[in-house]
Amino acid sequence: MLGLIIKRILLAIPVLWIVASITFMLVRIVPGGPFEGDKALPPEIVANLKAKYHLDKPVHEQYLLYMERLVHGDLGLSYKYIGRTVNDILADAFPVSLQLGGAGLLLAICIGVPLGTIAAVRRGSGADFAAMFLSTAGISVPSFVIGALLIFTFGIWLKILPVALWESPRHMILPALTLAVSPAAYLARLTRASVLEILEKDWVRTARSKGLSTDKTVVKHVLRNALVPIATVLGPLTAILVTGSFVVEFMYAIPGMGRFFITAVGNRDYDLIMGTTLVFAVLLIVSNTIVDIVYVILDPRMQVT
Amino acid sequence: MSKDKVGFGYIWYRLRNIPTAYFAFWVILSICIVALLSGLHVPLSHYGYSQTTTDLLAAPSWDHPMGTDELGRDLFSRIVYGSQLSISIGVTTALIAFVIGTIYGAIAGFSGGKIDNVLMRGVDIAYALPDLLVMILIGVLIGRGTYGILISLGLVSWMGTARLVRAQFLQLQHEEFVEAARAAGQNSLLIVWKHLLPNAMGPIIVALTFTVPSAILSESTLSFIGLGLSPPACSWGTLASDGWRSLRGHPHLILFPSFFIFLTVLSFNFLGDGLRDALDPRTRLFNYGKVVQDPEEPVEKESPELVTKE
């Protein structure tokens, strides 16, 4: 187990280096720089600014400088949020996104897994049809539509929940719900398929024939085994949550990483774009590593290398 | 070999017995016809492409079934017009994904071994990245016009097809008819073209049916957060994005475009699900709780191979 984790960490370093290099090239090839905004600045000031951020140097020197700082854990300075380092911004934004993502994931699991299980156990029934209709609808509806509906219903019409900012737990309800819908639907479909497969196994028939009730069979014999493939989608699920967080943080004006990423792209805030992208990359690598570890715990026969 | 396995009549029969998929098929057909007609500049609504200047931000009424926006433009006409861009983005992305994915997957699946391994690790990495993150970064590089969106959508959509084609090819390689063709000295490219590809076509079509809705969703989401298409381009995504700003006072402006995005994406997903079940003869179909029996004589004659297989 320890060997697996160490191996993953060692493997993560080249991956992060590649991600950093590609993003570095991407943002710099583009026409338009961070100081070519609406207000035209005097050329002397632009020259000074560029010198301050080392943007006057040739690209390969900028690259070496950036990599040197990165190795020391310094992600650079934001151009738009004057005087703030990228580390500083991300240290504020990351916990917010983590809370939002965690709440969304929890909700998604609590909705998706039972829904999928019920659909599978009652295969072909009205409940199955309803659950599958709901979950297909869930993956078909853009998260901004869910957000708009929730904001309109609970914020504007009923006026019972706040629709923006990130201050109290009450502020978390609508964003977390918005974020949870599509992963919940995704999980429900997956759970259904997984449970259906397990239901055909011999040991389920044995459990049934020794007189165990349907509920007990499902909980004791089916779900535990059906959870293996479900646990393995944590990777793609993290990707869905990250994507969702862009929209949700944009809609609810939540100061998380997704919103900083979007504004940074709009502002050509080079270091902030790179910083957020790298954090997303680390997040994905970590979630995939957790998946591998969960694999080993849930199914000791599995040999992960 | 070309007139083959899964009879068209058989699939159509099974599809007709999946109510959601059958209904979705007609919804998609009508939306596509509307998009096509509006692309040919057929005036489908009362106001056509002209703007009205008197009714600003009117609520839905007989005159304007979906209301008007802040410039007094009839929302129904704009949605009809926007269907062109939304549908064509979805379909074009599916085509790009088909071409790139099939070629990539075919190379990996057909060569096997080391090449396959390297190519598939590449797919794994590309697959793990969040689509929107990649699309935004690519959008930074190539701009945000219609072509920029198409290129970035194409680039994030091909991996699924590639995986699928590879898996199909790996499986089919060991079938007897492929070995027979190889033993007869047929050229590799011809084997791929005449034997492997036609047999892998079913799952590929299903995958493409799922690519269309996810492309439509991605485009509308990107446009919504302001990093996709922007006016004067008019897609359902940009319309919803416009509507978002007046959610408080005029919710109809976001409601109607959102509904059409939802309806289209939902229909494609249902059709994809249905096609998948229809193409797999092992799946038992339920129509209103009753098991659907395979059709008797006529269709079986059309697809003897399919029936004997399972």
mmCIF file of all heavy atoms in Angstrom, chain B residues 150-176:
data_model
loop_
_atom_site.group_PDB
_atom_site.id
_atom_site.type_symbol
_atom_site.label_atom_id
_atom_site.label_comp_id
_atom_site.label_asym_id
_atom_site.label_seq_id
_atom_site.Cartn_x
_atom_site.Cartn_y
_atom_site.Cartn_z
ATOM 1 N N LEU B 150 -15.842 24.706 -32.198
ATOM 2 C CA LEU B 150 -15.915 23.389 -32.845
ATOM 3 C C LEU B 150 -14.623 22.620 -32.657
ATOM 4 O O LEU B 150 -14.648 21.427 -32.346
ATOM 5 C CB LEU B 150 -16.219 23.549 -34.332
ATOM 6 C CG LEU B 150 -17.690 23.727 -34.664
ATOM 7 C CD1 LEU B 150 -17.868 23.920 -36.147
ATOM 8 C CD2 LEU B 150 -18.475 22.514 -34.188
ATOM 9 N N ILE B 151 -13.486 23.312 -32.849
ATOM 10 C CA ILE B 151 -12.206 22.617 -32.708
ATOM 11 C C ILE B 151 -12.033 22.130 -31.278
ATOM 12 O O ILE B 151 -11.698 20.966 -31.029
ATOM 13 C CB ILE B 151 -11.039 23.537 -33.112
ATOM 14 C CG1 ILE B 151 -11.105 23.813 -34.617
ATOM 15 C CG2 ILE B 151 -9.706 22.916 -32.749
ATOM 16 C CD1 ILE B 151 -10.136 24.856 -35.091
ATOM 17 N N SER B 152 -12.312 23.020 -30.291
ATOM 18 C CA SER B 152 -12.073 22.569 -28.919
ATOM 19 C C SER B 152 -13.070 21.488 -28.516
ATOM 20 O O SER B 152 -12.702 20.559 -27.794
ATOM 21 C CB SER B 152 -12.085 23.741 -27.931
ATOM 22 O OG SER B 152 -13.173 24.579 -28.154
ATOM 23 N N LEU B 153 -14.316 21.584 -28.992
ATOM 24 C CA LEU B 153 -15.277 20.512 -28.702
ATOM 25 C C LEU B 153 -14.831 19.197 -29.318
ATOM 26 O O LEU B 153 -14.888 18.144 -28.686
ATOM 27 C CB LEU B 153 -16.658 20.870 -29.257
ATOM 28 C CG LEU B 153 -17.597 21.630 -28.345
ATOM 29 C CD1 LEU B 153 -18.809 22.099 -29.114
ATOM 30 C CD2 LEU B 153 -18.014 20.752 -27.187
ATOM 31 N N GLY B 154 -14.373 19.263 -30.576
ATOM 32 C CA GLY B 154 -13.902 18.053 -31.249
ATOM 33 C C GLY B 154 -12.747 17.429 -30.489
ATOM 34 O O GLY B 154 -12.683 16.215 -30.317
ATOM 35 N N LEU B 155 -11.846 18.299 -30.004
ATOM 36 C CA LEU B 155 -10.652 17.782 -29.337
ATOM 37 C C LEU B 155 -10.947 17.116 -27.998
ATOM 38 O O LEU B 155 -10.180 16.268 -27.548
ATOM 39 C CB LEU B 155 -9.638 18.912 -29.122
ATOM 40 C CG LEU B 155 -8.859 19.310 -30.372
ATOM 41 C CD1 LEU B 155 -7.947 20.493 -30.082
ATOM 42 C CD2 LEU B 155 -8.023 18.142 -30.879
ATOM 43 N N VAL B 156 -12.055 17.485 -27.339
ATOM 44 C CA VAL B 156 -12.345 16.818 -26.068
ATOM 45 C C VAL B 156 -13.338 15.678 -26.221
ATOM 46 O O VAL B 156 -13.651 15.007 -25.252
ATOM 47 C CB VAL B 156 -12.888 17.796 -24.992
ATOM 48 C CG1 VAL B 156 -11.858 18.859 -24.664
ATOM 49 C CG2 VAL B 156 -14.182 18.428 -25.424
ATOM 50 N N SER B 157 -13.848 15.452 -27.440
ATOM 51 C CA SER B 157 -14.949 14.491 -27.582
ATOM 52 C C SER B 157 -14.564 13.152 -28.201
ATOM 53 O O SER B 157 -15.373 12.245 -28.238
ATOM 54 C CB SER B 157 -16.071 15.098 -28.438
ATOM 55 O OG SER B 157 -16.468 16.320 -27.926
ATOM 56 N N TRP B 158 -13.348 13.023 -28.707
ATOM 57 C CA TRP B 158 -13.038 11.838 -29.518
ATOM 58 C C TRP B 158 -12.601 10.638 -28.697
ATOM 59 O O TRP B 158 -12.597 9.506 -29.180
ATOM 60 C CB TRP B 158 -11.944 12.160 -30.538
ATOM 61 C CG TRP B 158 -10.691 12.654 -29.892
ATOM 62 C CD1 TRP B 158 -10.413 13.949 -29.564
ATOM 63 C CD2 TRP B 158 -9.576 11.877 -29.448
ATOM 64 N NE1 TRP B 158 -9.196 14.016 -28.944
ATOM 65 C CE2 TRP B 158 -8.656 12.762 -28.863
ATOM 66 C CE3 TRP B 158 -9.266 10.521 -29.492
ATOM 67 C CZ2 TRP B 158 -7.446 12.340 -28.323
ATOM 68 C CZ3 TRP B 158 -8.061 10.100 -28.958
ATOM 69 C CH2 TRP B 158 -7.172 11.011 -28.384
ATOM 70 N N MET B 159 -12.238 10.860 -27.407
ATOM 71 C CA MET B 159 -11.600 9.782 -26.640
ATOM 72 C C MET B 159 -12.523 8.581 -26.431
ATOM 73 O O MET B 159 -12.075 7.440 -26.500
ATOM 74 C CB MET B 159 -11.115 10.305 -25.287
ATOM 75 C CG MET B 159 -9.872 11.163 -25.364
ATOM 76 S SD MET B 159 -10.288 12.881 -25.637
ATOM 77 C CE MET B 159 -10.828 13.394 -24.032
ATOM 78 N N GLY B 160 -13.791 8.860 -26.163
ATOM 79 C CA GLY B 160 -14.735 7.767 -25.937
ATOM 80 C C GLY B 160 -14.820 6.855 -27.147
ATOM 81 O O GLY B 160 -14.737 5.631 -27.041
ATOM 82 N N THR B 161 -14.977 7.484 -28.330
ATOM 83 C CA THR B 161 -15.060 6.711 -29.569
ATOM 84 C C THR B 161 -13.779 5.911 -29.787
ATOM 85 O O THR B 161 -13.829 4.746 -30.189
ATOM 86 C CB THR B 161 -15.291 7.640 -30.764
ATOM 87 O OG1 THR B 161 -16.238 8.624 -30.390
ATOM 88 C CG2 THR B 161 -15.783 6.889 -31.969
ATOM 89 N N ALA B 162 -12.624 6.533 -29.507
ATOM 90 C CA ALA B 162 -11.352 5.843 -29.725
ATOM 91 C C ALA B 162 -11.272 4.586 -28.872
ATOM 92 O O ALA B 162 -10.913 3.511 -29.369
ATOM 93 C CB ALA B 162 -10.182 6.774 -29.408
ATOM 94 N N ARG B 163 -11.634 4.704 -27.590
ATOM 95 C CA ARG B 163 -11.600 3.550 -26.698
ATOM 96 C C ARG B 163 -12.486 2.431 -27.211
ATOM 97 O O ARG B 163 -12.128 1.262 -27.219
ATOM 98 C CB ARG B 163 -12.111 3.962 -25.322
ATOM 99 C CG ARG B 163 -11.027 4.399 -24.414
ATOM 100 C CD ARG B 163 -11.603 4.561 -23.033
ATOM 101 N NE ARG B 163 -10.567 4.998 -22.123
ATOM 102 C CZ ARG B 163 -10.811 5.416 -20.890
ATOM 103 N NH1 ARG B 163 -12.044 5.443 -20.460
ATOM 104 N NH2 ARG B 163 -9.821 5.791 -20.118
ATOM 105 N N LEU B 164 -13.686 2.859 -27.641
ATOM 106 C CA LEU B 164 -14.675 1.897 -28.089
ATOM 107 C C LEU B 164 -14.214 1.157 -29.334
ATOM 108 O O LEU B 164 -14.278 -0.071 -29.415
ATOM 109 C CB LEU B 164 -15.942 2.673 -28.385
ATOM 110 C CG LEU B 164 -17.159 1.853 -28.565
ATOM 111 C CD1 LEU B 164 -17.862 1.793 -27.222
ATOM 112 C CD2 LEU B 164 -18.035 2.487 -29.588
ATOM 113 N N VAL B 165 -13.729 1.916 -30.331
ATOM 114 C CA VAL B 165 -13.287 1.300 -31.585
ATOM 115 C C VAL B 165 -12.145 0.335 -31.308
ATOM 116 O O VAL B 165 -12.120 -0.787 -31.825
ATOM 117 C CB VAL B 165 -12.845 2.388 -32.598
ATOM 118 C CG1 VAL B 165 -12.211 1.753 -33.814
ATOM 119 C CG2 VAL B 165 -14.039 3.231 -32.992
ATOM 120 N N ARG B 166 -11.239 0.741 -30.444
ATOM 121 C CA ARG B 166 -10.113 -0.134 -30.119
ATOM 122 C C ARG B 166 -10.609 -1.441 -29.495
ATOM 123 O O ARG B 166 -10.203 -2.537 -29.898
ATOM 124 C CB ARG B 166 -9.178 0.572 -29.149
ATOM 125 C CG ARG B 166 -8.149 -0.345 -28.562
ATOM 126 C CD ARG B 166 -7.458 0.258 -27.385
ATOM 127 N NE ARG B 166 -6.605 -0.715 -26.749
ATOM 128 C CZ ARG B 166 -6.934 -1.358 -25.635
ATOM 129 N NH1 ARG B 166 -8.092 -1.130 -25.073
ATOM 130 N NH2 ARG B 166 -6.100 -2.226 -25.109
ATOM 131 N N ALA B 167 -11.509 -1.310 -28.509
ATOM 132 C CA ALA B 167 -12.007 -2.515 -27.836
ATOM 133 C C ALA B 167 -12.698 -3.440 -28.835
ATOM 134 O O ALA B 167 -12.493 -4.649 -28.836
ATOM 135 C CB ALA B 167 -12.970 -2.124 -26.728
ATOM 136 N N GLN B 168 -13.511 -2.845 -29.723
ATOM 137 C CA GLN B 168 -14.208 -3.633 -30.739
ATOM 138 C C GLN B 168 -13.213 -4.353 -31.645
ATOM 139 O O GLN B 168 -13.370 -5.522 -31.957
ATOM 140 C CB GLN B 168 -15.087 -2.713 -31.583
ATOM 141 C CG GLN B 168 -16.289 -2.176 -30.849
ATOM 142 C CD GLN B 168 -17.374 -3.225 -30.759
ATOM 143 O OE1 GLN B 168 -17.673 -3.880 -31.743
ATOM 144 N NE2 GLN B 168 -17.943 -3.380 -29.593
ATOM 145 N N PHE B 169 -12.180 -3.611 -32.072
ATOM 146 C CA PHE B 169 -11.196 -4.181 -32.993
ATOM 147 C C PHE B 169 -10.443 -5.325 -32.339
ATOM 148 O O PHE B 169 -10.233 -6.372 -32.950
ATOM 149 C CB PHE B 169 -10.205 -3.099 -33.458
ATOM 150 C CG PHE B 169 -10.663 -2.378 -34.678
ATOM 151 C CD1 PHE B 169 -12.000 -2.076 -34.853
ATOM 152 C CD2 PHE B 169 -9.762 -1.989 -35.660
ATOM 153 C CE1 PHE B 169 -12.443 -1.410 -35.975
ATOM 154 C CE2 PHE B 169 -10.193 -1.328 -36.792
ATOM 155 C CZ PHE B 169 -11.521 -1.037 -36.950
ATOM 156 N N LEU B 170 -10.036 -5.118 -31.084
ATOM 157 C CA LEU B 170 -9.300 -6.169 -30.377
ATOM 158 C C LEU B 170 -10.124 -7.446 -30.315
ATOM 159 O O LEU B 170 -9.615 -8.549 -30.487
ATOM 160 C CB LEU B 170 -8.952 -5.710 -28.960
ATOM 161 C CG LEU B 170 -7.786 -4.750 -28.845
ATOM 162 C CD1 LEU B 170 -7.539 -4.399 -27.387
ATOM 163 C CD2 LEU B 170 -6.526 -5.360 -29.452
ATOM 164 N N GLN B 171 -11.437 -7.248 -30.092
ATOM 165 C CA GLN B 171 -12.315 -8.390 -29.967
ATOM 166 C C GLN B 171 -12.534 -9.072 -31.327
ATOM 167 O O GLN B 171 -12.460 -10.286 -31.449
ATOM 168 C CB GLN B 171 -13.635 -7.885 -29.401
ATOM 169 C CG GLN B 171 -14.473 -8.926 -28.743
ATOM 170 C CD GLN B 171 -15.815 -8.343 -28.350
ATOM 171 O OE1 GLN B 171 -15.982 -7.117 -28.281
ATOM 172 N NE2 GLN B 171 -16.766 -9.195 -28.121
ATOM 173 N N LEU B 172 -12.772 -8.220 -32.341
ATOM 174 C CA LEU B 172 -13.119 -8.758 -33.664
ATOM 175 C C LEU B 172 -11.951 -9.441 -34.346
ATOM 176 O O LEU B 172 -12.141 -10.351 -35.149
ATOM 177 C CB LEU B 172 -13.637 -7.628 -34.557
ATOM 178 C CG LEU B 172 -15.022 -7.091 -34.215
ATOM 179 C CD1 LEU B 172 -15.291 -5.806 -34.960
ATOM 180 C CD2 LEU B 172 -16.071 -8.131 -34.551
ATOM 181 N N GLN B 173 -10.717 -8.990 -34.008
ATOM 182 C CA GLN B 173 -9.533 -9.559 -34.665
ATOM 183 C C GLN B 173 -9.493 -11.076 -34.592
ATOM 184 O O GLN B 173 -8.931 -11.723 -35.447
ATOM 185 C CB GLN B 173 -8.285 -9.039 -33.956
ATOM 186 C CG GLN B 173 -8.052 -7.592 -34.196
ATOM 187 C CD GLN B 173 -6.691 -7.329 -34.761
ATOM 188 O OE1 GLN B 173 -5.941 -8.245 -35.049
ATOM 189 N NE2 GLN B 173 -6.385 -6.070 -34.970
ATOM 190 N N HIS B 174 -10.051 -11.612 -33.492
ATOM 191 C CA HIS B 174 -9.941 -13.056 -33.308
ATOM 192 C C HIS B 174 -11.147 -13.805 -33.850
ATOM 193 O O HIS B 174 -11.237 -15.013 -33.692
ATOM 194 C CB HIS B 174 -9.734 -13.361 -31.827
ATOM 195 C CG HIS B 174 -8.544 -12.654 -31.276
ATOM 196 N ND1 HIS B 174 -7.264 -12.972 -31.652
ATOM 197 C CD2 HIS B 174 -8.434 -11.605 -30.424
ATOM 198 C CE1 HIS B 174 -6.413 -12.169 -31.045
ATOM 199 N NE2 HIS B 174 -7.099 -11.326 -30.290
ATOM 200 N N GLU B 175 -12.055 -13.082 -34.472
ATOM 201 C CA GLU B 175 -13.212 -13.763 -35.070
ATOM 202 C C GLU B 175 -12.748 -14.554 -36.288
ATOM 203 O O GLU B 175 -11.769 -14.191 -36.946
ATOM 204 C CB GLU B 175 -14.270 -12.733 -35.495
ATOM 205 C CG GLU B 175 -14.870 -11.953 -34.339
ATOM 206 C CD GLU B 175 -15.955 -12.731 -33.604
ATOM 207 O OE1 GLU B 175 -16.606 -13.577 -34.243
ATOM 208 O OE2 GLU B 175 -16.124 -12.492 -32.390
ATOM 209 N N GLU B 176 -13.491 -15.593 -36.575
ATOM 210 C CA GLU B 176 -13.047 -16.475 -37.665
ATOM 211 C C GLU B 176 -13.032 -15.787 -39.022
ATOM 212 O O GLU B 176 -12.127 -15.998 -39.818
ATOM 213 C CB GLU B 176 -13.947 -17.709 -37.720
ATOM 214 C CG GLU B 176 -13.496 -18.753 -36.721
ATOM 215 C CD GLU B 176 -14.628 -19.658 -36.317
ATOM 216 O OE1 GLU B 176 -15.730 -19.534 -36.894
ATOM 217 O OE2 GLU B 176 -14.422 -20.481 -35.413
#
